[in-house]
Amino acid sequence: MTSGIRFDAVSVAYGGTTVLDRLDLTVEPGEVMALLGPSGSGKTTALRAVAGFVRPASGRVLIGDRDVTGLPPYKRGIGMVVQQYALFPHLRVEANVAFGLKAQKVPKGEIPGRVAEALGMTGMAAYAHRYPRELSGGQQQRVAIARALAIRPKVLLLDEPLSALDAQLRSGMLAELARLHRELPDVSILYVTHDQVEALTLADRIAVMDKARLQDCGTPQDLYRRPRTEFTASFVGNANLLPVTVGTEGVVFDGTELKVGVSGAAPGSAATLCFRPHLVGLGEGPNPLRGQIVEVQWRGSTHRLYVDVGGHRVKADVRELRETPSPGTEVTLHFAPEDAVLLGAGVNDGR
Amino acid sequence: MLVHSRTGRWTAWVTFAVLFVPLFALPLLVIVAASFSTNWSGAFPSGPTTGHYAAAVRGEALQALTTSLVTALVASLVALTAGTWAALAGAALGRKGKRVLDALFMLPVAVPSVVVGLAVLVAFSQPPVLLNGTRWIVILAHTVLVTAFAHQSVSAAIQRLDPMYEQAAASLGARPSYVLLRVRLPLLLPSLNAAAGLCFALSMGELSATMMLYPPDWMPLPVLVFTATDRGSLFTGSALAVVLMATTLLALLAVSRIRTKASFR
């Protein structure tokens, strides 16, 4: 049996401040939905509304076909993993994993088998007799995941589960989570994160949130290649945004004609041109942009250049340069027409 | 060590000794010395004896010691239960409700214990609840006096308890009662333990309220110490005081051993 999650116009307010504003979102059964956004965007509040730790001011939360809005957390049948692990410090690993099974009065004979199964899935079987304080951060997070999986939830809520881990461990755990999801295709997962790499890697769909609202929702490829809003474009992939005027065969930026697809846009209207820093080339090419280097950051395999083009700062990630150009140098950047996306009116500088 | 220089370290030790020895150690040492002597007319006590101790561990004195122990044990257990219960309830209340509850529980500390003793005496000297003349009035007064401390320390510990444990337990399907028994109380155990020790020690030393209430067959040890010295038997009183002190310290030591076993972080 599978069941998804549905937010039906869910609003949450703390003392007059709206932290979640009429969220409508459906997580299909078996789907991984990432809630992506900066801190304070309402993503964690949305997750906590599913878990039952915040009560919506209005709207409904459904798990499967069941309206759980008024149900206490322990009646919701969810698994949850949080950033700080929240393992019970007074219980050994196996007792931590068995906790939910005992609380739900699973027959005694079944418990050891299910604990072993959950610990096996997360590769923690060898640590069953340890206390949480004797484990590293990554191991503790695996136990926390095992504990959430042991109760065989239909819905798994992950609240920034990898944020407390270092970068290397994080990419390893990301692969683990992807594998777990392949092994448990029926479990719907709501994954809250501020990290676009985590969201792009793991999610079937991403819901982008900002300022208590849902900004955009779509598959990772969609959001990345064809963002619909400026916020999505700049938050997912950190795109360059330039204010342009739509022409007949391209757009005009700062008096320069740029050739990009303008399908549907009315000639003469204002729009925003969006292109990714890593798809920008240095030197002459199609759609040249001339400007002055403002800042150079060496990032190992790449150089990031900040170039002032007609008063707007354009970011370019180019392969490591033999000679680092100094600020003030005149350079020419270019990008391919097919790498650019035209968005509707309004722009905020691209910084 | 925070003090790095050699002279700094010496200064710290000397200051400690100058403050600690006369203020804390000497008075206790004087009592211990007095308890082993029969005469103290010069600078030092004389006529060494262990006779006071022989008297202090039998008959009336032994009776008073067990009376004190039973009173302290019952009063601390009841106080701990009531104080913890109230602290848990206070945590579930809003901020206003919690403040009112905290203030109410602080009353017995704010009011002088003589007044508490008098209040208990007046309140329970007449039917329907007639406790005057029984041991229960002493135990009741002690409970009232120490519950404040139990409530305060458990309340502070609950406030420090991270709600994420409770929430993790609830998300795993545990009812509030199960969360209380299996998560919150075990995590509070070190604080409960400390609170129990504090209540026990306070009750063992309580005198002023007890003086107004104790019946002839339920005389706690501090009262005996007081009456002995009041009669002029200073050395007998000292021996009784040392017994009281040693018993309380032993009990606290036993409690603290449980505490170290129960602390996880």
Side-chain angles (χ1 to χ4, degrees):
Chain A
M1 198 173 81
T2 60
S3 63
I5 306 167
R6 202 168 100 221
F7 294 90
D8 185 4
V10 176
S11 293
V12 178
Y14 292 130
T17 324
T18 303
V19 288
L20 192 64
D21 194 5
R22 292 188 65 80
L23 176 66
D24 281 302
L25 187 68
T26 305
V27 183
E28 300 295 339
E31 186 182 37
V32 181
M33 170 73 83
L35 281 179
L36 178 67
S39 51
S41 59
K43 56 191 194 305
T44 296
T45 305
L47 177 132
R48 294 172 66 79
V50 180
F53 299 128
V54 293
R55 185 175 271 274
S58 63
R60 298 186 307 156
V61 179
L62 291 95
I63 296 177
D65 297 326
R66 200 161 61 128
D67 184 347
V68 298
T69 319
L71 284 185
Y74 67 91
K75 285 187 180 162
R76 296 195 177 195
I78 46 159
M80 190 166 93
V81 177
V82 296
Q83 187 185 339
Q84 313 87 337
Y85 325 124
L87 294 178
F88 306 126
H90 59 295
L91 298 178
R92 292 176 195 277
V93 164
E94 55 186 353
N96 260 287
V97 177
F99 186 92
L101 301 173
K102 284 185 181 156
Q104 297 186 6
K105 302 207 169 64
V106 169
K108 272 221 166 85
E110 262 181 58
I111 293 177
R114 284 177 63 174
V115 169
E117 181 193 28
L119 284 174
M121 265 182 166
T122 52
M124 290 301 292
Y127 300 89
H129 298 293
R130 300 262 189 108
Y131 279 101
R133 60 166 184 269
E134 298 167 336
L135 303 176
S136 71
Q139 290 170 333
Q140 289 190 41
Q141 195 56 294
R142 283 162 191 267
V143 175
I145 293 167
R147 182 176 68 175
L149 290 177
I151 57 172
R152 293 187 184 149
K154 296 179 199 98
V155 165
L156 189 59
L157 307 176
L158 303 171
D159 187 4
E160 307 247 1
L162 309 182
S163 300
L165 305 178
D166 62 54
Q168 214 170 1
L169 217 51
R170 202 179 307 162
S171 74
M173 279 300 283
L174 210 50
E176 287 275 300
L177 285 174
R179 178 183 60 78
L180 277 174
H181 181 57
R182 283 196 302 276
E183 286 174 17
L184 302 164
D186 294 344
V187 179
S188 312
I189 298 178
L190 190 64
Y191 188 104
V192 165
T193 181
H194 63 266
D195 184 307
Q196 48 147 328
V197 176
E198 286 175 23
L200 292 171
T201 313
L202 209 59
D204 296 317
R205 280 194 303 155
I206 298 175
V208 181
M209 300 202 49
D210 185 43
K211 301 199 181 84
R213 287 186 185 203
L214 180 66
Q215 300 289 335
D216 211 341
C217 182
T219 65
Q221 290 82 357
D222 253 3
L223 289 183
Y224 193 81
R225 301 226 172 92
R226 285 177 296 282
R228 279 185 287 271
T229 67
E230 282 165 27
F231 180 80
T232 311
S234 61
F235 195 77
V236 184
N238 201 6
N240 290 304
L241 300 174
L242 295 178
V244 293
T245 315
V246 180
T248 44
E249 273 180 49
V251 296
V252 180
F253 167 71
D254 195 34
T256 320
E257 182 104 8
L258 300 171
K259 285 199 168 36
V260 295
V262 291
S263 55
S269 62
T272 302
L273 187 67
C274 154
F275 53 96
R276 306 282 170 190
H278 68 278
L279 295 174
V280 176
L282 189 60
E284 292 295 335
N287 292 329
L289 294 166
R290 288 173 224 293
Q292 258 191 350
I293 292 183
V294 180
E295 196 187 329
V296 180
Q297 286 173 356
W298 180 53
R299 296 181 172 184
S301 59
T302 61
H303 270 97
R304 151 123 348 158
L305 309 177
Y306 292 91
V307 180
D308 184 82
V309 180
H312 290 273
R313 198 168 278 201
V314 174
K315 291 162 285 193
D317 288 333
V318 296
R319 258 193 296 176
E320 192 185 8
L321 301 166
R322 289 216 179 76
E323 276 170 45
T324 309
S326 53
T329 316
E330 297 278 341
V331 290
T332 304
L333 303 173
H334 67 270
F335 62 93
E338 55 274 24
D339 289 336
V341 178
L342 202 58
L343 302 173
V347 70
N348 44 23
D349 227 300
R351 270 175 206 172
Chain B
M1 190 106 185
L2 279 171
V3 184
H4 289 289
S5 79
R6 185 180 275 264
T7 40
R9 219 173 296 166
W10 272 105
T11 320
W13 277 112
V14 169
T15 315
F16 169 73
V18 166
L19 287 175
F20 178 80
V21 171
L23 281 179
F24 296 96
L26 266 183
L28 297 178
L29 286 175
V30 165
I31 287 184
V32 174
S35 70
F36 284 107
S37 47
T38 49
N39 187 19
W40 196 329
S41 42
F44 291 98
S46 54
T49 174
T50 53
H52 306 309
Y53 282 98
V57 290
R58 66 178 135 84
E60 191 192 24
L62 184 64
Q63 176 86 46
L65 179 64
T66 40
T67 299
S68 264
L69 282 171
V70 171
T71 306
L73 195 71
V74 176
S76 334
L77 286 180
V78 176
L80 194 64
T81 312
T84 306
W85 194 340
L88 286 167
L93 285 174
R95 254 210 305 191
K96 238 184 194 164
K98 186 179 173 341
R99 206 175 297 164
V100 172
L101 201 67
D102 283 349
L104 282 177
F105 269 87
M106 279 308 285
L107 266 183
V109 184
V111 173
S113 46
V114 177
V115 178
V116 173
L118 184 65
V120 170
L121 185 67
V122 173
F124 297 106
S125 283
Q126 271 170 33
V129 191
L130 181 66
L131 296 178
N132 193 8
T134 70
R135 62 189 62 172
W136 297 111
I137 198 162
V138 177
I139 295 176
L140 178 76
H142 280 221
T143 307
V144 168
L145 285 169
V146 298
T147 300
F149 295 96
H151 173 264
Q152 204 183 20
S153 59
V154 177
S155 184
I158 289 176
Q159 214 145 32
R160 285 197 307 271
L161 199 63
D162 198 323
M164 75 178 179
Y165 295 117
E166 256 171 86
Q167 294 182 351
S171 81
L172 291 165
R175 300 168 166 280
S177 58
Y178 194 88
V179 177
L180 179 67
L181 280 178
R182 295 298 159 95
V183 178
R184 296 177 78 194
L185 285 180
L187 288 176
L188 287 173
L189 200 59
S191 312
L192 294 178
N193 222 299
L198 179 68
C199 291
F200 186 85
L202 285 171
S203 170
M204 283 295 280
E206 215 300 317
L207 177 67
S208 38
T210 317
M211 287 287 284
M212 318 192 65
L213 299 167
Y214 76 94
D217 63 339
W218 198 256
M219 183 201 278
L221 196 49
V223 179
L224 196 62
V225 174
F226 178 77
T227 50
T229 49
D230 203 37
R231 276 200 315 268
S233 316
L234 213 61
F235 304 114
T236 320
S238 298
L240 291 172
V242 172
V243 170
L244 177 64
M245 196 162 76
T247 316
T248 310
L249 277 178
L250 277 176
L252 286 185
L253 208 68
V255 167
S256 81
R257 274 198 65 83
I258 307 176
R259 182 152 77 241
T260 41
K261 271 193 186 166
S263 59
F264 335 96
R265 282 173 291 175

